[in-house]
């Protein structure tokens, strides 16, 4: 039997929105059995170990500053950011609408690397190149222009060339042919979970321009080169003893003179009697039964007190540490 309200939704639109808002705001799901987990944390920890990469990025940024000044007459500050790990699914939504995407294989890194040059940066540099430094950079829509594309190719070559020079002491790089695209389609064809090491550079030109470009290197290929991006291990020099010196040392040690002392007796007295001691005072002692022998203050053996060949002597009965 059907009722008139059978086709009505179970929840109203307001109730559905409330549930969605609650799910978005809730960051931790912990019922004692399941917990949220950041699957990118492992890659971030790996990048943190590549401490030598920071110095390479700073040196590269300084060279890029000189390059912008020489080629465009534009004083600029180039600031590198800390390397990040990101997947294709994270990179695509963050890309600008206007861009030139330069793709190339950089040996020995397997797989393509990608250089993202935003259209805003290209427009600014084209304006500077053609003498429009005193005119505000026009804000363009749509895809990058042919002039911006050609300039982007030249900038990409300069960026990669200077990168090869800076990295040469750590890793010998060899870029291949460049593929210039004005869409992110080439990157979109890759698996969405493919990971990249993202190197970001911020460019600031006074009050005229502020923007950034990114270089994306295949994470798995970079991971294979990890030892070259870590501090060199200091090897401890091995101490080698020459056989003749070792023989001389062994023969010389038994001839070293040491001082042996023997404790014959212990006498207890008062502080008054101790203070009253003077030259000629006689201190009576009991006939010793045993003597404690020591070398350089450390106990060596125990012996019996007696005489031998008309002289007072000690016969060793037990060495320290032995039970017999």
């Amino acid at each position: 039997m059907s009722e008139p309200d059978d086709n009505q939704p179970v929840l109203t639109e307001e109730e559905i929105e409330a549930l969605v808002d609650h799910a978005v705001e809730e960051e931790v799901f912990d019922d004692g059995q399941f917990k949220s987990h950041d699957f990118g944390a492992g890659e971030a920890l790996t990048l943190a170990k590549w401490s030598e990469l920071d110095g390479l990025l700073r040196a590269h940024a300084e060279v890029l500053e000189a390059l912008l000044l020489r080629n465009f007459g534009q004083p600029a500050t180039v600031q590198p950011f800390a390397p990040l790990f990101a997947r294709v699914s994270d990179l695509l939504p963050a890309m600008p609408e206007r861009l030139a995407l330069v793709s190339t294989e950089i040996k020995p890194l397997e797989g393509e690397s990608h250089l993202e040059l935003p259209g805003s940066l290209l427009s600014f540099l084209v304006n500077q190149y053609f003498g429009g430094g005193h005119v505000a950079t026009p804000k363009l829509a749509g895809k990058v222009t042919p002039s911006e594309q050609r300039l982007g190719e030249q900038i990409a070559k300069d960026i990669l060339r200077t990168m090869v020079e800076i990295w040469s002491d750590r890793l010998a790089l060899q870029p291949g042919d460049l593929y210039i695209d004005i869409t992110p389609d080439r990157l979109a064809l890759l698996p969405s979970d493919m990971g990249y090491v993202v190197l970001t550079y911020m460019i600031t030109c006074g009050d005229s321009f502020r923007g950034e470009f990114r270089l994306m290197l295949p994470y798995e290929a970079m991971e294979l080169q990890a030892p070259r991006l870590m501090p060199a291990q200091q090897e401890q020099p091995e101490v080698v003893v020459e056989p003749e010196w070792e023989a001389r040392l062994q023969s010389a040690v038994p001839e070293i003179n040491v001082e042996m002392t023997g404790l014959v007796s212990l006498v207890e007295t008062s502080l008054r009697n101790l203070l009253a001691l003077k030259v000629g005072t006689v201190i009576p002692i009991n006939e010793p039964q045993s003597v404690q022998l020591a070398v350089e203050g450390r106990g060596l053996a125990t012996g019996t007190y007696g005489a031998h060949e008309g002289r007072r002597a000690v016969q060793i009965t037990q060495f320290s540490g032995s039970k017999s």
Side-chain angles (χ1 to χ4, degrees):
M1 180 176 178
S2 62
E3 297 293 334
D5 294 335
D6 282 350
N7 295 327
Q8 296 300 319
V10 178
L11 298 177
T12 65
E13 292 184 359
E14 291 77 8
E15 291 172 332
I16 294 175
E17 290 178 357
L19 288 175
V20 172
D21 292 340
H22 176 74
V24 172
E25 294 173 0
E26 186 68 26
E27 295 182 355
V28 179
F29 302 91
D30 184 5
D31 59 358
Q33 295 180 342
F34 301 99
K35 294 183 179 180
S36 60
H37 177 73
D38 182 3
F39 288 95
E43 290 82 0
L45 292 176
T46 299
L47 290 181
K49 297 177 183 178
W50 302 350
S51 56
E52 296 300 310
L53 192 54
D54 294 335
L56 297 177
L57 298 181
R58 287 195 298 270
H60 193 195
E62 292 179 2
V63 174
L64 293 177
E65 289 178 357
L67 186 146
L68 288 172
L69 181 61
R70 182 177 67 251
N71 292 352
F72 301 96
Q74 181 64 49
T77 300
V78 181
Q79 179 184 2
F81 292 164
L84 297 175
F85 171 82
R87 304 185 190 279
V88 171
S89 58
D90 304 319
L91 294 170
L92 289 173
M95 287 189 169
E97 183 178 354
R98 298 185 72 247
L99 86 164
L101 186 66
V102 183
S103 303
T104 183
E105 187 169 0
I106 306 176
K107 293 295 185 181
L109 306 178
E110 293 296 332
E112 280 192 339
S113 299
H114 306 277
L115 178 62
E116 175 197 302
L117 299 173
S120 58
L121 171 62
L122 298 176
S123 297
F124 174 75
L125 294 179
V126 167
N127 193 48
Q128 298 295 318
Y129 185 79
F130 288 104
H134 300 290
V135 179
T137 303
K139 294 183 179 181
L140 304 178
K143 307 301 182 183
V144 297
T145 65
S147 297
E148 293 172 337
Q149 186 175 347
R150 288 193 297 270
L151 184 62
E153 181 178 1
Q154 184 57 49
I155 293 173
K157 290 179 179 178
D158 290 336
I159 291 175
L160 295 175
R161 174 181 55 79
T162 52
M163 179 181 177
V164 169
E165 296 172 358
I166 297 299
W167 286 47
S168 59
D169 291 340
R170 283 283 169 180
L171 183 60
L173 300 176
Q174 185 178 358
D177 295 333
L178 303 185
Y179 298 92
I180 315 297
D181 199 353
I182 57 176
T183 69
D185 292 348
R186 195 176 185 91
L187 192 64
L189 294 175
L190 299 174
S192 61
D193 61 346
M194 183 174 179
Y196 281 90
V197 178
V198 182
L199 309 180
T200 304
Y201 296 82
M202 173 67 73
I203 300 178
T204 304
C205 301
D207 298 330
S208 303
F209 178 80
R210 182 180 178 87
E212 61 187 41
F213 69 88
R214 297 187 293 177
L215 177 61
M216 294 158 278
L217 306 174
Y219 173 78
E220 291 185 0
M222 286 286 288
E223 195 173 21
L224 295 176
Q225 306 299 329
R228 301 177 182 272
L229 303 175
M230 297 180 183
Q233 296 292 333
Q234 296 290 337
E235 295 185 0
Q236 296 295 333
E238 183 180 356
V239 179
V240 179
V241 180
E242 297 293 337
E244 57 178 303
W245 283 101
E246 186 176 1
R248 292 180 185 178
L249 186 62
Q250 289 178 349
S251 62
V253 167
E255 303 302 323
I256 298 175
N257 293 327
V258 294
E259 184 179 86
M260 179 183 291
T261 59
L263 179 61
V264 176
S265 180
L266 291 175
V267 177
E268 291 188 3
T269 186
S270 65
L271 183 60
R272 181 186 299 279
N273 293 335
L274 184 63
L275 295 175
L277 292 178
K278 59 184 179 179
V279 178
T281 300
V282 177
I283 302 176
I285 61 174
N286 297 324
E287 184 72 16
Q289 298 298 318
S290 64
V291 177
Q292 300 292 329
L293 298 178
V295 176
E296 301 295 336
R298 301 187 63 176
L300 173 65
T302 302
T304 57
Y305 183 75
H308 177 71
E309 296 181 355
R311 302 176 63 183
R312 297 294 183 184
V314 175
Q315 184 178 31
I316 295 176
T317 59
Q318 182 179 351
F319 286 96
S320 299
S322 63
K323 298 182 179 180
S324 60

